[in-house]
Amino acid sequence: GIQVEQSPPDLILQEGANSTLRCNFSDSVNNLQWFHQNPWGQLINLFYIPSGTKQNGRLSATTVATERYSLLYISSSQTTDSGVYFCAFSGGSNYKLTFGKGTLLTVNP
Amino acid sequence: EAGVAQSPRYKIIEKRQSVAFWCNPISGHATLYWYQQILGQGPKLLIQFQNNGVVDDSQLPKDRFSAERLKGVDSTLKIQPAKLEDSAVYLCASSWRNTGELFFGEGSRLTVL
């Protein structure tokens, strides 16, 4: 079945540091999205990125579909970046969006 | 543009009672999803609608959960009777098409006592 694996599971940073989150997936990609779940539980869209590279302020993402992985980069991290980052994927003949287990990011002042 | 609307935001019930959640997707979005998120886990898809037809309900516990999307717009998810393990956040999402970008509502948090 569809597999979505995220790493690392937990990450602790000092404010101002940079980080890279990884998402590996098991099939050809139809849809890949990155979300940030804030402490109040809201899932915020970061990137819709089945292929290529996108940037939005301090965040950027790259998906290499041929090698079945995606990366989320956070530069100059801030305490408000804390929360859980989810990768969600659908692929092959399956259009169901499956979530990874997430990366819990803590940014300390 | 208005986002995905959900209600109620919070609900506390006793086991064996029933509960219903409502979702109004973004205008024009054909695909609507209900996800269940248990504390500490990623969201799990319960049911996916394309317009008013069901595309996937393979993970919906059909003995107690039901969902409908009349007229292909808003949707209702019902649980009857509720069990303790149904305590979770129920998230509704919508997208323009089944491979399009999903947008989530704020969720409905259910506590079953």
Side-chain angles (χ1 to χ4, degrees), chain B residues 34-113:
Chain B
W34 282 102
Y35 280 82
Q36 180 193 57
Q37 187 175 22
I38 293 172
L39 187 65
Q41 300 180 16
K44 180 184 82 171
L45 181 68
L46 293 176
I47 188 166
Q48 177 178 342
F49 293 94
Q50 183 73 18
N51 297 308
N52 59 353
V54 175
V55 174
D56 189 316
D57 63 356
S58 57
Q59 298 191 92
L60 186 73
K62 299 180 185 64
D63 57 334
R64 298 183 300 105
F65 285 64
S66 64
E68 60 183 10
R69 190 183 184 197
L70 300 176
K71 302 180 182 178
V73 182
D74 55 353
S75 176
T76 303
L77 176 71
K78 296 179 181 178
I79 307 173
Q80 181 178 15
K83 292 185 175 181
L84 297 178
E85 59 260 36
D86 298 332
S87 294
V89 177
Y90 291 87
L91 295 159
C92 180
S94 70
S95 64
W96 178 61
R97 54 187 172 88
N98 63 4
T99 59
E101 185 175 7
L102 267 71
F103 294 88
F104 280 83
E106 292 183 310
S108 296
R109 183 177 299 274
L110 174 66
T111 301
V112 182
L113 302 176

Side-chain angles (χ1 to χ4, degrees), chain A residues 36-98:
Chain A
H36 176 215
Q37 190 161 45
N38 63 24
W40 295 271
Q42 176 80 40
L43 277 167
I44 307 297
N45 289 43
L46 296 178
F47 295 101
Y48 170 72
I49 189 164
S51 64
T53 298
K54 292 185 177 179
Q55 181 159 5
N56 185 2
R58 297 181 295 104
L59 274 62
S60 63
T62 295
T63 295
V64 183
T66 53
E67 297 187 22
R68 299 186 178 175
Y69 72 87
S70 183
L71 302 175
L72 177 69
Y73 305 96
I74 303 173
S75 65
S76 304
S77 59
Q78 301 176 357
T79 56
T80 52
D81 295 331
S82 296
V84 182
Y85 289 80
F86 286 106
C87 166
F89 164 81
S90 72
S93 59
N94 190 331
Y95 294 94
K96 179 169 68 177
L97 198 69
T98 299

Side-chain angles (χ1 to χ4, degrees), chain A residues 9 12 22 29 41 51 57 75 78 108:
Chain A
I12 300 174
R22 186 177 180 104
V29 58
S51 64
S75 65
Q78 301 176 357
N108 292 321

